[in-house]
Amino acid sequence: MIFVHQPNACASTGQPLLERRLLEMSEPIPPDALWIDLIDPTRQEDHKVEAFLGISIPTREEMQDIEPSELLYVENGARYMTGRLLCKVDTDDARLAGVTFILRDNKLATVRYDDPQAFRMFVHRAARPAGVMLTGEAILAGLIETVIDRAADVLQLQGERIDRLSRRIFAEHSDPSARNAELQDTLRALGRHNELLSQQRESLVSVERILLSLSASYRASKAPREIREEVRSTLRDLQSLEEHASFLSGKIQFLLDATLGLVNLEQNNIIKLFSVMAVVFMPPTLIASMYGMNFKVMPELDWGFGYPMAVVMMVVAAILPYAFFRWKRWL
């Protein structure tokens, strides 16, 4: 699909806005299109945009490359920048999707094979009067700023979920069986949060490379001051988010260590219980073994009170170790 964004004026206020519409394959691309958004494009759609802008659209495989020289480069007067954005955060299918930004002659083209929430947020914002400056560079800066805003929302949500997990981990429980099941669920939840946080950090790093490249390019080309200031401000926001992501990662590691420690304590309690039971039943077993021997000369065999005496001895021999452990507060 090809979506084109053209400058227009609000019918009620007359203020400029960015109008978005789906372009049919038979339609030509309007000359005043500022932003061409390709979503899961076909080869014919790629050729159409390539002929309009005089550029080469990267393939999906090329966008998945991790070498910086393949992600940030200039070719035929067009600047190519590929980043990885987090998609479907609120589902179990959260993943990173490659997005390529191509800037040439104050026109922006984006190539993506997924639908990150940040793009929908920016389209909604740009459709409002005075929502964005009507230049390709301003649209690119606004898009990246929205990506950072979305990343901040994701990190805030992750922080709240991690705080709830922390309270649940250190809460007191009286049912050991339920506690063990809950700790297992907690370990799985921590693993999911850590995976999502790692993906978000990888996304932030890729966007930071784009911002650093843009900042250097704008300084060299003497871009408008407003655009340069916006890029620098967005870069500072991104770096603060990276620090916050590192803090959350450290917190997850602490909670993981704490959870594993609690699991070890539960296992130690079970082993301790078996050890105490073995010690408690050892003296009665010794007494029972003595009177189970088959010797002809055993005076106690003729005693009328021999059996009750042996039973009492075994009970006392079991109670004494248990009482000693309780006195020592080992139980």
Side-chain angles (χ1 to χ4, degrees):
M1 293 184 292
I2 301 178
F3 286 91
V4 294
H5 300 74
Q6 302 170 253
N8 206 337
C10 180
S12 57
T13 63
Q15 290 183 306
L17 53 81
L18 201 61
E19 186 180 47
R20 173 185 174 92
R21 69 183 182 90
L22 177 64
L23 191 72
E24 299 294 337
M25 192 60 198
S26 58
E27 290 183 79
I29 299 177
D32 62 343
L34 292 176
W35 174 23
I36 303 172
D37 189 18
L38 291 90
I39 305 176
D40 197 9
T42 63
R43 198 59 206 148
Q44 291 78 10
E45 291 171 338
D46 283 346
H47 290 323
K48 188 172 186 174
V49 176
E50 287 174 346
F52 177 74
L53 293 177
I55 60 175
S56 175
I57 300 296
T59 64
R60 190 170 192 168
E61 291 72 20
E62 291 172 343
M63 292 168 59
Q64 293 175 348
D65 207 324
I66 62 173
E67 295 181 16
S69 60
E70 299 295 331
L71 302 178
L72 302 169
Y73 60 94
V74 177
E75 183 178 272
N76 297 329
R79 179 170 294 278
Y80 291 76
M81 296 159 287
T82 300
R84 294 167 65 80
L85 306 185
L86 195 58
C87 302
K88 299 183 179 181
V89 175
D90 299 324
T91 67
D92 294 333
D93 193 30
R95 61 181 180 273
L96 289 172
V99 178
T100 297
F101 305 89
I102 307 171
L103 191 62
R104 182 176 188 182
D105 297 334
N106 205 29
K107 293 183 183 295
L108 175 68
T110 54
V111 186
R112 53 196 175 102
Y113 293 86
D114 218 313
D115 190 20
Q117 179 70 20
F119 273 74
R120 295 196 295 270
M121 293 168 59
F122 178 75
V123 167
H124 180 71
R125 165 189 157 189
R128 298 197 301 266
V132 65
M133 293 174 59
L134 299 182
T135 65
E137 293 175 342
I139 294 171
L140 174 60
L143 263 174
I144 295 179
E145 182 182 4
T146 308
V147 168
I148 302 305
D149 292 342
R150 176 59 179 163
D153 294 339
V154 171
L155 289 177
Q156 181 180 0
L157 179 62
Q158 284 295 98
E160 293 172 356
R161 290 174 175 172
I162 292 170
D163 288 340
R164 286 197 295 270
L165 270 179
S166 177
R167 289 191 293 269
R168 193 170 74 180
I169 289 171
F170 296 108
E172 294 184 2
H173 294 265
S174 56
D175 187 354
S177 59
R179 180 61 168 164
N180 291 335
E182 184 176 341
L183 288 175
Q184 293 178 17
D185 293 339
T186 300
L187 283 173
R188 284 189 286 268
L190 285 172
R192 290 192 299 269
H193 290 319
N194 188 62
E195 175 64 20
L196 184 59
L197 189 60
S198 298
Q199 291 176 333
Q200 185 62 79
R201 293 177 70 184
E202 183 179 347
S203 174
L204 290 174
V205 169
S206 70
V207 175
E208 183 180 19
R209 287 199 296 260
I210 292 176
L211 285 173
L212 290 172
S213 174
L214 276 177
S215 180
S217 173
Y218 287 164
R219 281 198 306 269
S221 62
K222 303 296 182 181
R225 181 181 180 86
E226 295 81 3
I227 300 296
R228 285 183 288 159
E229 287 295 333
E230 185 174 1
V231 169
R232 280 198 292 265
S233 175
T234 305
L235 183 58
R236 287 193 295 269
D237 292 341
L238 183 145
Q239 290 170 344
S240 68
L241 288 181
E242 287 180 334
E243 293 177 2
H244 186 61
S246 298
F247 164 74
L248 291 179
S249 179
K251 191 170 185 178
I252 287 179
Q253 186 60 49
F254 165 73
L255 293 178
L256 180 61
D257 293 340
T259 304
L260 291 176
L262 290 173
V263 170
N264 289 333
L265 284 177
E266 295 291 338
Q267 293 176 343
N268 290 340
N269 287 335
I270 295 173
I271 295 173
K272 182 174 68 174
L273 177 62
F274 280 107
S275 301
V276 169
M277 294 300 294
V279 172
V280 166
F281 284 105
M282 192 179 299
T285 303
L286 177 62
I287 295 173
S289 300
M290 289 176 58
Y291 289 105
M293 293 185 293
N294 297 318
F295 291 108
K296 290 182 178 181
V297 182
M298 292 186 69
E300 294 89 344
L301 293 177
D302 297 329
W303 292 357
F305 55 87
Y307 172 74
M309 180 194 71
V311 172
V312 170
M313 289 174 60
M314 286 188 287
V315 171
V316 171
I319 291 176
L320 286 178
Y322 178 78
F324 178 76
F325 289 149
R326 295 287 294 180
W327 175 62
K328 285 289 190 179
R329 295 185 178 179
W330 293 345
L331 291 177

